[in-house]
Amino acid sequence: RKEVEQDPGPFNVPEGATVAFNCTYSNSASQSFFWYRQDCRKEPKLLMSVYSSGNEDGRFTAQLNRASQYISLLIRDSKLSDSATYLCVVNGSTERYVAGGYQKVTFGTGTKLQVIP
Amino acid sequence: DGGITQSPKYLFRKEGQNVTLSCEQNLNHDAMYWYRQDPGQGLRLIYYSQIVNDFQKGDIAEGYSVSREKKESFPLTVTSAQKNPTAFYLCASSTLGGGSDEQFFGPGTRLTVL
């Protein structure tokens, strides 16, 4: 099983639709979770962190389900400008790089969203 | 404006040549990272550094080398030993090296080996 798994999509949705992505992770010891957005041929940028209690930022809602080991991202009232690839990021696994003490960060391969006029 | 810069944006290299990718940040971040991104794959960590004059190998360090002589700079050298260097290279930084905080990315360098 991959450490972090995402449906690659693409998800093609009309403007105004609600769309949800899930991301599953394999290590139950993972502690921090994020959603990043990556536009075509650009660098990833943080969209939002994911907290145990869930969090909302405007049209975006992120949730964490530790029992089932997945995080989700919900986008309401989709805009054309939401078209991008959404990367799930998980860190805090028990694996640490030797001598560095750095907790491993794992990026998902991303889910592509295309919002259609 | 604070941020991370990478240069060049596009780089073409002949087989057998070493090339160095630049990464500079003025965010006063202690930790810096190098990733490579290939189509259909997630970002993979090449090297990271949590403090000046110290750096550690990531998952795919073979064929790469780095230095961290200044807090602001973390250049990556792609050596001729790297078998498949064509990729999108991303540099990132964060306030702490523990992995639990946001990473800020530079705009990336696209390396193509001819």
Side-chain angles (χ1 to χ4, degrees), chain A residues 38-84:
Chain A
Q38 186 173 24
D39 293 294
C40 187
R41 302 180 72 82
K42 300 283 189 178
E43 73 274 23
K45 293 183 180 179
L46 181 68
L47 179 65
M48 56 199 310
S49 303
V50 187
Y51 306 120
S52 296
S53 56
N55 50 311
E56 186 173 315
D57 182 4
R59 298 182 293 108
F60 298 84
T61 301
Q63 296 203 322
L64 167 64
N65 186 317
R66 285 193 182 275
S68 300
Q69 294 181 207
Y70 73 87
I71 64 172
S72 63
L73 177 67
L74 181 77
I75 306 175
R76 290 180 297 276
D77 188 24
S78 299
K79 311 291 185 190
L80 295 176
S81 58
D82 294 334
S83 297

Side-chain angles (χ1 to χ4, degrees), chain A residues 2 32 34 36 38 40-46 87 91-92 95 97-109, chain B residues 9-10 33 35 37 40-43 45 48 50 56-59 88 90 97-103 105-107 110:
Chain A
K2 286 185 179 179
S32 300
F34 307 89
Y36 279 72
Q38 186 173 24
C40 187
R41 302 180 72 82
K42 300 283 189 178
E43 73 274 23
K45 293 183 180 179
L46 181 68
L87 307 178
N91 74 343
E95 181 178 351
Y97 291 106
V98 174
Y102 171 67
Q103 289 186 325
K104 186 173 182 179
V105 176
T106 303
F107 286 78
T109 54
Chain B
K9 188 172 182 179
Y10 298 97
Y33 317 83
Y35 294 92
Q37 187 175 35
Q41 296 197 40
L43 276 67
L45 184 66
Y48 69 98
Q50 293 179 289
Q56 304 294 336
K57 293 181 179 180
D59 290 318
F88 185 38
L90 288 158
S100 61
D101 51 327
E102 176 187 359
Q103 294 188 17
F105 287 85
R110 292 195 177 274

